[in-house]
Amino acid sequence: MSVWELVVIGGGPAGLSAACAAARRGVRTLVVERAVHPRYKTCGGGLIGTSLAALAGRIEVPAHDQVDRATFTLDGRIRFTRRHRSGPLVTMVRREEFDDRLRVAAVAAGAEVRERVTVRSLEQEPDVVRLRLADGAPIVARTAIGADGSSGVSARHVGVRHRQVDLGLEVELPVSAPEQARWRHRVLLDWGPLPGSYAWVFPKGDRLTVGVIAGRGEGERTRAYLRRFVDRLGLADVPPTHDTGHLTRCRADDAPLRRGRVLVAGDAAGLLEPWSREGISFALRSGELAGEAVAAGDLAGYERAVAYRLLPSMRAGFQLLDGFSHRPEIFHALLATPAGWRAFVRFCQGRADFAGLLAPLPARAALALTRRLSRRKEGPPVNASGRAGVPS
């Protein structure tokens, strides 16, 4: 039986980035994907500057809009719009086109891609990894990279644990020419009524991607939020071309990224930004780091690289989410200030991550103030007798 040097499970941004990085360094690489490209994927499809930098020299991004304006609302209220005149904030793509471009790039780098292939299990031996497919056939590789999502076989095999799980709901709405003109070059972000929730409108030519996200366990309230949001937009009568949902999962800080010869990247590793739930930049970067580590023969180097380059931003994101969940009105007010808008622009354009944005003293002070106000809003702790005071 032929033994591949590397098998990548999953043909999304993480898997195809890993395959491209490894194949162009001479690693004999196979990608297995259960779907067929181009395929629809539930995703906002907004590329921040960090993603664009990771893609430089690899693909021509199939952009359907470049956003330079952002409208913010607080559960439909206190609306304001800001515009950045020096370059776009976010580039909008349709995932079926974007992922297919990445597939073409991986093949051009020398990787082989097989579609309609489902991996059921992984088994490790001292020198190889055996992948058991749905049809019973095996694939054997020296190393495997799992990029098959947070609920895929790779994450289970490696033992990835999650600190945060959210439910995202999304509709794709075909819109008329006047509606397209209304939203061209502009996104809407609404800070929602559920803790840590928000909604978005992303323009993509003749369609709008409209969605909400909130913590798992609030399914009906999250669906009600989406219905109210679409109704406020005046789009309740537009039949969606897609109406989907999915869970996003952020890894626990000490969750493994590797088990023996199997690495996980992207969603399979629980790598995404906890506050915005932005995952494409983490998928592109972690996939490339994994592919480079395989090519270098240093699998432990992948863990070190992720710890250094990606995890600090995730830790900062958890801090932001904690404050935002308790007092979204403070975040809304801060974004209306010149300093808050500049920070938002820097993040969108990839000139700073959240770890960098929280490093200055004023940012740390603002976050600390949010926490204090949150505790004051919640009131003093309640003891077992139901009276305020020190818990018993």
Side-chain angles (χ1 to χ4, degrees), residues 22 101 148 160 214 244 256 268 347 374 376 389:
R101 291 280 179 93
D148 50 340
V160 179
T244 58
F347 169 74
S374 298
R376 187 178 304 170

Side-chain angles (χ1 to χ4, degrees), residues 271-295:
L271 292 168
L272 69 155
E273 201 289 303
W275 179 41
S276 67
R277 286 80 158 189
E278 189 279 322
I280 294 178
S281 73
F282 284 82
L284 294 170
R285 290 177 291 169
S286 64
E288 184 168 16
L289 291 173
E292 291 173 347
V294 172

Side-chain angles (χ1 to χ4, degrees), residues 63-66 92-94 173-177 179-185 202-209:
H64 283 270
D65 205 333
Q66 291 189 313
M92 295 297 167
V93 297
R94 300 175 181 178
L173 302 176
V175 291
S176 63
E179 201 69 27
Q180 293 173 41
R182 175 190 173 198
W183 290 103
R184 189 171 296 123
H185 308 321
F202 289 168
K204 299 175 185 176
D206 60 358
R207 72 173 75 163
L208 297 177
T209 299

Side-chain angles (χ1 to χ4, degrees), residues 354-364:
F354 285 143
L357 291 175
L358 289 185
L361 181 60
R364 297 201 307 272

Side-chain angles (χ1 to χ4, degrees), residues 15 32 101 122 134 152 158 202 274 356:
V32 291
R101 291 280 179 93
L122 299 170
V158 171
F202 289 168

Side-chain angles (χ1 to χ4, degrees), residues 4 42 48 117 133 150 153 230 345 368-369 380 383 386:
W4 293 87
T42 303
I48 61 174
V117 177
L133 308 184
S150 61
V153 64
V230 173
V345 169
L369 175 62
N383 61 28

